[in-house]
Amino acid sequence: MLLAVNTLIQLGQDEKNVERIIWLDETCTYCFVIPIYENKYPKPRKVADILQEVRARQFELLATDPLMRPVFEEGLTDRERQHREQAWEVVQSIAGSENEPAVFFARTRNRLLHDAAKKYGISEKTVGRWLLKYWKGGKTKNALLPLYSNCGGKNKEKRAGSSKRGRPRKYGNKDDGINVTENIQQIFRLALKKYYYNKGKGSLRYAYEQMVKEWFSADYKIQNGIKIPVVADNTSLPTLDQFLYFYRKENSIRKEISTRHSPKEYELKHRAVLGKATTEAIGPASKYLIDGTSFDIYLVSRFNRNWIIGRPHLTYIQDVFSHMIVGVHIGLEAGWMSAAMAIAHTVEDKVEYMKRFGIDISPEDWPSRYLCETIMGDRGELFTKKAESIIQNLNITVQNTSSYRGDLKGILERHFRLTTDLVKPLLPGAINEDFRQRGGRDYRLDAKLDLQQFTKLILLCVLHFNKHHYLSNYDRQEMMIEDDVPCVPLALWNWGIKYRSGKLREVPKDIVMLHLLPTDEATVTFQGIRFQKMYYSSPTVIHERWFERARHKGNWKISISYDPRDMTVLYIRGIGERGYETAFLLDHLQKYKDKTIEEVNYLMAMENIQRTEHNQNAIQPKVDLLTEIESIVKEAEKETNLQNIGGSKAEKLRDIRSHRNFEKQVHQKNEAFVLHENQIKGTEIPAVEAEQDYFADFSLFQKRQEERF
């Protein structure tokens, strides 16, 4: 083990306790070392002691030098070169080889520092700082370069005082303006967020002017009936330059493009593109790629061919090893359900599937019916929590590429283009480049195909690709060349099944479907199995009396799967012969039958909105009712107080029955029904006398009460 000048030694475990050897004697007996992270002068050490500590693993020799950095002359400024040359001349007059090792001793070093400071007209402190920098930096000329990047408190906020900071104004009073405090910075952030980082794409000057109007208005004035803010005095306003400086300091390209345009714009055109994607597959079904896109064609409805239903969504799953298309789904919706149906198609019997569309094939024409070990998406269909089911239950590893990185799935992206180039010129209703341009034809009006017909022609294209398409860029392995395997997906798949089929896995379709459906928790209550405010039941649940137990012992949670496209049924997990059982919607909730979860949520939301609006509109009538009640009560209290002639509680409670009977007779007379009004009209009854008889009876009743009291 040898030590040399500039060898770095770490003492113990402290990464900051590092010394550099700056001089060795001719016999390698003694040396001088200097701590590179401390402002201390060199000290002597025995070489034998250092080696002994290294062998005992108390010291460690470092392979990398944190203070030595590569310097390119073309990247230096004239000021940096001038500073380096001046410091180099001074240091060489002190620490040249002719002064070693005398310069390492304090008495000699102090004399040399004093002479150099006097000779060059600089302070001894500056000379000493240059000398330490030279030794700690490895005794090189570039160690004396100034580190201007460490000056100025980078990324540190300076505290604003009472005096005005910054360059004095060239015009006007030099003390005008304000300091940008934390409160002003917060206003800047709010103004940028509200007026600049939005889809309106306003300019920075516009954002500044809106900020001044909103946050720095001293008063208002009325002009032509309009309330106009009056901006504060210029001495109390932040300047546009201060606003722009703050924007440049906190702005980022990603934030600006993502908010003013869209995240897609940034990811597609402005992000950094690093590295190159490579995929490895040891055999068929080792790794699948999945992707979906909206096809450039408009379709019509099977129920009414005058109805244009929009563009279909096409999802492909492709085997990486053979490039064979192993799963397809064509529908009108994108997202997880489209991917789930395509994954389920990978394990489906292709012969039976093709019969649905009137296509007869043999099992050898499309032999893929296996699950994969790994499936890769593009942060689209598989970038969801719902994909956890295929990870946990089907033991499939899910990978996602970066957003909008189609090059990481190049073989599948290329297949979409192959399909488009093959069939698009033949299809009515296909979208061309001049779609929706001025003078361009609206190709939606040419739509003729329905979803069933479009699916059939896509399946025919898949069959042709798997059986006949030659992969010109496929790199065959040595064994493939020996066996003369053509670069055709079906041939490559069959060869891989024969020689590389260790990853194939067969799983029943219903089990795959169950695990591909989204999972959640439902609550067992005495009213039924509650999920999304709907209630379900099943034969096993009724037989085992779950609902009675819930009413007696309380509710509990169960795991379920559901199809978001139809909320008529749920699938209770963990019961039944096959590990699940179907639960049906209760009869009194049939309004949700055959409804999607979006429709159910919409109906419930509308009911809540109507209930809220009714409650809000009922507030004023309720207030009117309460006011009327209070008025009647006050009138009753007033009349009662006028007739209150005293008496004990017993006297007031006595004869309640007789009072009630008298009151009943009076009410019966007033509420009696009068029939045959025409006959009664001929009988003349003096109204005054009847009224007098009534009041006579009442006065007699009142007189008897007074006598009793």
Side-chain angles (χ1 to χ4, degrees):
M1 184 183 301
L2 296 177
L3 299 181
V5 174
N6 281 337
T7 298
L8 293 177
I9 307 168
Q10 179 178 319
L11 285 64
Q13 301 298 323
D14 188 1
E15 295 181 355
K16 295 297 182 181
N17 191 6
V18 179
E19 295 180 346
R20 182 191 299 278
I21 297 176
I22 60 175
W23 183 83
L24 280 165
D25 67 347
E26 295 179 356
T27 60
C28 291
T29 305
Y30 292 94
C31 66
F32 278 90
V33 297
I34 186 171
I36 65 173
Y37 292 115
E38 301 178 19
N39 290 325
K40 295 181 179 180
Y41 284 106
K43 58 183 178 182
R45 279 189 181 274
K46 289 185 178 181
V47 174
D49 293 342
I50 296 176
L51 295 177
Q52 183 179 357
E53 294 294 339
V54 171
R55 294 189 186 98
R57 297 187 178 180
Q58 298 297 321
F59 291 176
E60 181 181 354
L61 302 182
L62 300 183
T64 59
D65 194 329
L67 298 186
M68 277 193 181
R69 56 191 178 96
V71 177
F72 304 98
E73 288 294 323
E74 61 273 13
L76 298 178
T77 64
D78 294 338
R79 184 179 178 186
E80 288 175 329
R81 292 192 186 95
Q82 182 180 358
H83 183 280
R84 181 186 61 182
E85 296 301 329
Q86 181 185 7
W88 176 252
E89 183 179 357
V90 174
V91 168
Q92 284 302 300
S93 66
I94 301 173
S97 58
E98 67 277 3
N99 292 329
E100 292 180 345
V103 70
F104 301 130
F105 297 97
R107 180 176 298 178
T108 305
R109 182 171 60 248
N110 291 338
R111 177 177 55 80
L112 293 173
L113 290 174
H114 177 76
D115 293 344
K118 185 177 181 180
K119 176 180 179 181
Y120 294 101
I122 53 179
S123 66
E124 292 186 24
K125 185 176 181 180
T126 300
V127 177
R129 186 173 67 251
W130 288 348
L131 183 61
L132 286 175
K133 192 175 181 180
Y134 168 73
W135 281 333
K136 292 192 295 184
K139 299 176 69 175
T140 63
K141 188 175 183 179
N142 288 328
L144 298 172
L145 282 170
L147 298 177
Y148 292 137
S149 59
N150 295 338
C151 299
K154 186 178 181 180
N155 298 327
K156 294 181 180 179
E157 289 289 337
K158 298 176 179 59
R159 184 177 301 174
S162 57
S163 60
K164 180 68 174 67
R165 295 186 305 177
R167 175 182 61 81
R169 296 191 177 186
K170 187 175 181 180
Y171 304 103
N173 190 347
K174 65 178 182 179
D175 295 327
D176 286 351
I178 61 174
N179 287 325
V180 179
T181 61
E182 182 60 33
N183 293 334
I184 301 298
Q185 290 180 358
Q186 187 63 22
I187 293 175
F188 286 172
R189 293 188 185 97
L190 292 174
L192 287 170
K193 181 179 180 180
K194 186 174 182 180
Y195 298 111
Y196 185 72
Y197 293 127
N198 54 41
K199 302 297 183 182
K201 302 180 183 179
S203 64
L204 287 168
R205 181 178 290 275
Y206 168 78
Y208 170 76
E209 292 168 350
Q210 292 292 333
M211 176 194 70
V212 170
K213 183 188 75 172
E214 184 170 348
W215 280 283
F216 294 94
S217 298
D219 200 356
Y220 293 90
K221 64 180 180 180
I222 305 299
Q223 183 174 338
N224 297 329
I226 301 175
K227 193 176 182 180
I228 300 177
V230 178
V231 179
D233 187 74
N234 290 334
T235 59
S236 303
L237 294 178
T239 64
L240 177 61
D241 290 337
Q242 289 175 319
F243 183 74
L244 296 177
Y245 173 79
F246 178 82
Y247 158 77
R248 288 190 292 267
K249 185 172 67 172
E250 293 204 351
N251 180 56
S252 66
I253 296 176
R254 178 177 189 137
K255 180 180 180 181
E256 179 166 352
I257 296 175
S258 298
T259 53
R260 287 171 61 84
H261 299 277
S262 68
K264 178 181 178 180
E265 181 77 9
Y266 173 79
E267 297 292 342
L268 191 62
K269 298 181 180 180
H270 301 276
R271 60 174 171 78
V273 180
L274 305 174
K276 184 178 180 181
T278 57
T279 56
E280 296 181 357
I282 62 175
S286 174
K287 186 172 185 178
Y288 287 169
L289 301 179
I290 182 172
D291 198 6
T293 186
S294 294
F295 203 82
D296 291 340
I297 187 175
Y298 278 83
L299 303 180
V300 298
S301 172
R302 283 187 294 169
F303 304 101
N304 187 336
R305 304 194 76 86
N306 291 321
W307 295 350
I308 300 175
I309 61 175
R311 299 164 61 183
H313 187 83
L314 174 59
T315 303
Y316 279 146
I317 297 182
Q318 189 171 25
D319 176 56
V320 173
F321 177 82
S322 64
H323 292 200
M324 175 184 280
I325 300 298
V326 295
V328 183
H329 179 258
I330 297 97
L332 298 177
E333 58 179 343
W336 164 246
M337 288 309 302
S338 178
M341 296 301 102
I343 295 174
H345 186 236
T346 62
V347 300
E348 194 168 359
D349 184 359
K350 302 301 189 297
V351 176
E352 295 296 327
Y353 179 80
M354 299 294 278
K355 284 182 180 180
R356 303 179 197 171
F357 302 93
I359 304 174
D360 294 326
I361 63 172
S362 63
E364 294 78 17
D365 293 331
W366 200 351
S368 62
R369 51 184 178 87
Y370 306 102
L371 273 183
C372 61
E373 183 182 38
T374 303
I375 187 167
M376 175 181 282
D378 60 355
R379 298 175 63 90
E381 295 83 1
L382 299 182
F383 195 69
T384 172
K385 282 189 174 181
K386 299 174 183 177
E388 293 179 0
S389 177
I390 65 174
I391 299 174
Q392 298 174 359
N393 301 306
L394 301 180
N395 194 24
I396 297 177
T397 302
V398 174
Q399 298 178 351
N400 280 289
T401 66
S402 302
S403 299
Y404 307 104
R405 289 295 304 273
D407 55 312
L408 300 180
K409 301 186 284 76
I411 60 174
L412 185 53
E413 296 289 344
R414 177 57 185 165
H415 184 74
F416 280 114
R417 185 176 176 182
L418 286 174
T419 304
T420 303
D421 293 343
L422 178 62
V423 304
K424 184 177 177 180
L426 304 174
L427 303 183
I431 303 173
N432 292 327
E433 295 180 355
D434 61 345
F435 180 57
R436 289 190 176 179
Q437 293 183 5
R438 179 176 296 180
R441 177 171 176 76
D442 193 343
Y443 297 99
R444 294 175 294 185
L445 302 176
D446 297 333
K448 297 294 186 297
L449 295 171
D450 59 34
L451 185 62
Q452 187 86 354
Q453 294 165 339
F454 178 75
T455 303
K456 181 176 181 179
L457 66 87
I458 289 296
L459 292 175
L460 291 174
C461 292
V462 170
L463 283 176
H464 177 270
F465 174 84
N466 289 343
K467 294 175 64 176
H468 304 291
H469 182 75
Y470 188 84
L471 305 172
S472 57
N473 295 324
Y474 189 90
D475 294 329
R476 291 188 298 173
Q477 301 174 7
E478 185 176 355
M479 291 181 60
M480 294 179 180
I481 298 175
E482 293 176 357
D483 294 340
D484 197 20
V485 180
C487 292
V488 175
L490 181 58
L492 295 172
W493 174 274
N494 291 332
W495 184 90
I497 291 294
K498 185 176 181 179
Y499 297 104
R500 302 288 181 85
S501 59
K503 298 296 181 180
L504 298 180
R505 293 191 299 139
E506 282 193 79
V507 181
K509 181 187 174 183
D510 60 339
I511 300 299
V512 175
M513 285 294 300
L514 179 65
H515 294 310
L516 289 176
L517 291 175
T519 61
D520 208 330
E521 285 188 341
T523 305
V524 179
T525 71
F526 71 94
Q527 296 175 306
I529 300 173
R530 184 177 64 218
F531 179 69
Q532 297 285 354
K533 299 182 180 180
M534 295 176 289
Y535 291 89
Y536 299 82
S537 179
S538 75
T540 299
V541 171
I542 294 177
H543 178 72
E544 296 181 358
R545 301 185 180 276
W546 285 19
F547 304 141
E548 290 87 339
R549 287 164 50 194
R551 188 162 194 174
H552 180 66
K553 297 183 178 180
N555 304 338
W556 72 89
K557 302 285 187 181
I558 59 172
S559 178
I560 57 98
S561 296
Y562 66 96
D563 189 344
R565 301 166 299 178
D566 185 2
M567 297 304 297
T568 307
V569 297
L570 297 179
Y571 302 99
I572 305 175
R573 303 162 69 93
I575 65 173
E577 296 181 356
R578 296 188 59 81
Y580 68 92
E581 182 171 284
T582 304
F584 298 91
L585 197 66
L586 296 183
D587 291 340
H588 68 280
L589 295 174
Q590 291 301 305
K591 61 181 179 180
Y592 300 125
K593 185 178 180 181
D594 300 328
K595 301 295 190 303
T596 66
I597 192 170
E598 291 81 8
E599 292 174 320
V600 171
N601 292 334
Y602 177 79
L603 291 174
M604 292 182 177
M606 287 300 299
E607 292 177 352
N608 291 333
I609 291 173
Q610 292 174 357
R611 185 185 306 110
T612 302
E613 291 178 350
H614 176 77
N615 292 336
Q616 292 175 349
N617 296 332
I619 292 177
Q620 186 59 48
K622 190 67 171 291
V623 172
D624 296 343
L625 173 62
L626 296 176
T627 305
E628 291 289 341
I629 293 174
E630 292 175 354
S631 175
I632 295 173
V633 171
K634 289 180 180 179
E635 183 179 354
E637 291 176 347
K638 182 179 179 181
E639 293 179 357
T640 303
N641 293 333
L642 289 175
Q643 295 185 9
N644 189 5
I645 56 178
S648 65
K649 295 180 180 179
E651 292 175 343
K652 290 183 177 181
L653 297 175
R654 191 184 306 150
D655 295 334
I656 291 179
R657 182 174 298 176
S658 61
H659 298 163
R660 177 183 179 86
N661 291 334
F662 179 80
E663 192 76 16
K664 188 194 307 183
Q665 294 175 5
V666 174
H667 277 284
Q668 287 176 352
K669 184 181 296 184
N670 294 334
E671 295 177 353
F673 291 104
V674 179
L675 304 178
H676 309 293
E677 294 184 1
N678 295 331
Q679 299 178 8
I680 297 176
K681 285 181 181 179
T683 306
E684 296 183 0
I685 300 176
V688 176
E689 292 181 3
E691 187 175 359
Q692 288 177 352
D693 291 341
Y694 171 77
F695 283 107
D697 293 339
F698 182 78
S699 61
L700 177 61
F701 171 72
Q702 189 174 12
K703 183 177 181 180
R704 289 181 178 179
Q705 278 191 328
E706 293 176 355
E707 290 175 354
R708 186 182 301 276
F709 292 145

